[in-house]
Amino acid sequence: MIYLDNAATTLQKPPQVARAMAGAVGRLASPGRGGHPAAMEAARAVYGCRQLAARLFDARPEQVVFTLNATHALNLAIKTLVRPGDRVVVSGFEHNAVMRPLRGLGARVAVAGRKLFDPADTLAAMDEAIDGETAAVVCTHVSNVFGYRLPVEEIAALCRRRGVPLIVDAAQSAGALPVSLERWKAAFIAMPGHKGLYGPQGTGILLCGRPPAPLLEGGTGSQSRSFSMPEDLPDRGEAGTHNVPGICGLAAGLGYVLERGTAAIARREGALLERFCRELAAMDRVRVFAGPSQSAVVSIQLEGRDCEEAGEALGRLGVAVRAGLHCAPLAHESAGTLEAGTIRLSLSDFTGEEDLRGALEALRAMQE
Ligand code: PLP
C-alpha cells in the first residue's frame, strides 16, 4: 500500500518505536505509584520522554504534559483560558478539535484570515480582529486540509504585543517544522504524538506556558493528602495512570526526530511535495490547492468526480488518502470547498519518490 494519509496518523514508524513499547509492557509499572524498581524505572522512562520533548520544543521538562491526543491537549488549553461568552479569535483554518470545544463553551468566535497561502492576509486579519475583549487567540500552525503554513511566529509576536494569550495547534507541524514554547511564549502549544513525532496513537502533548486548569481530577502519585489537584506542573494536567508503553514509544519517536533534525525532515518533505504538486498540476482535470507557504499536505479535486468516491477508488488502487472534509469544515468554508470536499494526500519522512510516482499513476488511471 502507498500510504499518503500521514496527516491523520503516521503509519510507518521508526522500528525503535514498537520495540520501546514492547519493552515497556511487563517491565515498567507506573511513575509515582511506588518506590519499587518497576515504578522507579517507569518514572525515569516517562521523565526521559519529557526531557526529549522539552529539548525539541524549547521548553522545560515539567512544562510537558502528556495527553491522549491533540484533541485532549486542545481541550485542556481552551478550557483553561476561555469562559462562556468570551470572545476568541481563530484563524479560518481551524480543526473541529478547536471549533467544537469553543462552541461547547459558548464562546463568541471571530474568524480572522480566510485566504489560503496568504500569510500577510492572515496576519493583518488577526491584527484587526484582536480587540480589548479578546480572551484568547487559537491558531493552527499548518492547515490539516491544505498544508497552508500560517505565520505563527508573527502571530505569536502580535499576541505578545497585544497581551492576549495564544494557543497554537501544532498537530500538523510538530516534528516537521520548528515549534518553540520559549520563542513564541505561547500560553499553550498542543500536539499529537502519533503524527510527525512518530509515536503511537493514544499519545499527545500539551506544552504549558502557564498551569492548565485540570480537565480530569484524580490521583497523581503526588501530594496524596490533599483532596485538591496539585498546583505544580506537570501533575496538574495529568490525573490518573499514564500510558507508559505509549510514552515509551513516543520517546523513541521523539528521539528519531531529534536525530534526523526537524530542518532536514522539513527540507526533504518540502522538496518531495513541490515536485508532486508540479506533476499534479500538469495533469488534466485535476485542481490542485498549492501555494508558496505549504507544508507536506496537499488537497486536490478531480473534475467530474465525487471526492469520497474518488478517495475510495484510490484506496482500491492501493493508495491510502483521506477524502471529504477532514474534520475541518471551517477550512473548507474558507477555501470554498465545503460543498464538494477535497482529496487530501499527506507525506511523512517515510514517504518516498516511488510512493508519489505510484499515486500519480493511480490518479492518471482513474482519469482515463
Ligand atoms: N488539529 C489538527 C490541525 C489536526 O489535523 C488534528 C488531527 O487530524 C487534530 C487537531 C486532532 O488530533 P488528534 O486526532 O490527535 O486528537
Side-chain angles (χ1 to χ4, degrees):
M1 177 183 45
I2 294 172
Y3 188 77
L4 294 176
D5 197 14
N6 294 286
T9 207
T10 47
L11 195 62
Q12 293 125 316
K13 314 276 188 189
Q16 56 270 33
V17 171
R19 278 203 300 272
M21 293 180 74
V25 176
R27 193 170 61 86
L28 302 188
S30 285
R33 270 67 171 184
H36 53 80
M40 298 302 278
E41 204 181 329
R44 276 193 295 276
V46 168
Y47 189 70
C49 187
R50 277 190 224 287
Q51 284 179 307
L52 292 172
R55 181 137 63 89
L56 187 58
F57 302 118
D58 302 334
R60 295 191 305 278
E62 65 272 19
Q63 292 177 301
V64 176
V65 163
F66 291 119
T67 61
L68 295 170
N69 45 42
T71 302
H72 178 198
L74 284 162
N75 270 265
L76 255 170
I78 289 169
K79 288 170 184 172
T80 298
L81 293 178
V82 181
R83 296 283 156 269
D86 276 355
R87 186 169 188 279
V88 177
V89 173
V90 303
S91 85
F93 297 93
E94 300 307 311
H95 190 277
N96 273 345
V98 168
M99 299 309 288
R100 286 181 175 175
L102 288 174
R103 168 60 65 89
L105 279 166
R108 289 178 294 131
V109 178
V111 179
R114 285 185 175 265
K115 279 199 195 154
L116 251 185
F117 306 120
D118 192 340
D121 175 77
T122 304
L123 188 60
M126 286 266 174
D127 193 14
E128 198 174 320
I130 296 170
D131 64 13
E133 280 188 20
T134 305
V137 170
V138 190
C139 185
T140 191
H141 192 179
V142 169
S143 160
N144 66 306
V145 180
F146 300 103
Y148 168 36
R149 202 169 61 239
L150 282 78
V152 161
E153 191 101 32
E154 291 83 353
I155 291 168
L158 172 67
C159 288
R160 289 198 300 277
R161 276 200 308 280
R162 305 287 284 274
V164 179
L166 170 67
I167 299 171
V168 179
D169 176 356
Q172 296 296 334
S173 60
L177 292 176
V179 168
S180 171
L181 186 64
E182 163 63 26
R183 215 173 44 251
W184 297 351
K185 300 205 170 9
F188 297 103
I189 303 177
M191 62 187 70
H194 59 95
K195 301 189 202 254
L197 300 179
Y198 300 101
Q201 290 103 320
T203 60
I205 286 175
L206 182 66
L207 300 173
C208 298
R210 58 178 72 186
L215 259 190
L216 290 176
E217 291 165 293
T220 55
S222 59
Q223 300 180 30
S224 294
R225 277 182 184 280
S226 170
F227 289 131
S228 300
M229 282 295 282
E231 294 294 326
D232 303 334
L233 280 168
D235 293 10
R236 195 162 175 73
E238 293 182 357
T241 297
H242 293 88
N243 172 8
V244 174
I247 291 170
C248 289
L250 176 58
L254 283 162
Y256 170 83
V257 171
L258 279 161
E259 199 170 306
R260 276 279 286 133
T262 303
I265 292 173
R267 245 191 333 271
R268 183 177 177 282
E269 289 182 354
L272 278 176
L273 187 90
E274 206 184 308
R275 281 198 294 279
F276 189 45
C277 286
R278 258 202 318 270
E279 298 268 359
L280 286 168
M283 287 173 65
D284 282 341
R285 291 172 290 129
V286 178
R287 180 177 180 201
V288 187
F289 295 82
S293 180
Q294 190 168 10
S295 191
V297 177
V298 60
S299 261
I300 61 170
Q301 288 174 331
L302 304 181
E303 204 181 293
R305 284 194 86 139
D306 174 77
C307 275
E308 308 259 6
E309 172 275 317
E312 281 167 27
L314 274 168
R316 285 193 296 277
L317 291 170
V319 185
V321 299
R322 180 146 175 225
L325 296 184
H326 316 93
C327 301
L330 184 69
H332 282 283
E333 195 182 279
S334 294
T337 52
L338 187 59
E339 287 310 312
T342 59
I343 303 166
R344 179 185 74 182
L345 306 104
S346 50
L347 284 54
S348 84
D349 201 32
F350 292 87
T351 306
E353 292 270 11
E354 64 288 359
D355 294 319
L356 301 181
R357 264 198 310 276
L360 289 165
E361 269 166 36
L363 283 165
R364 283 190 196 104
M366 279 171 56
Q367 293 292 80
E368 267 168 15

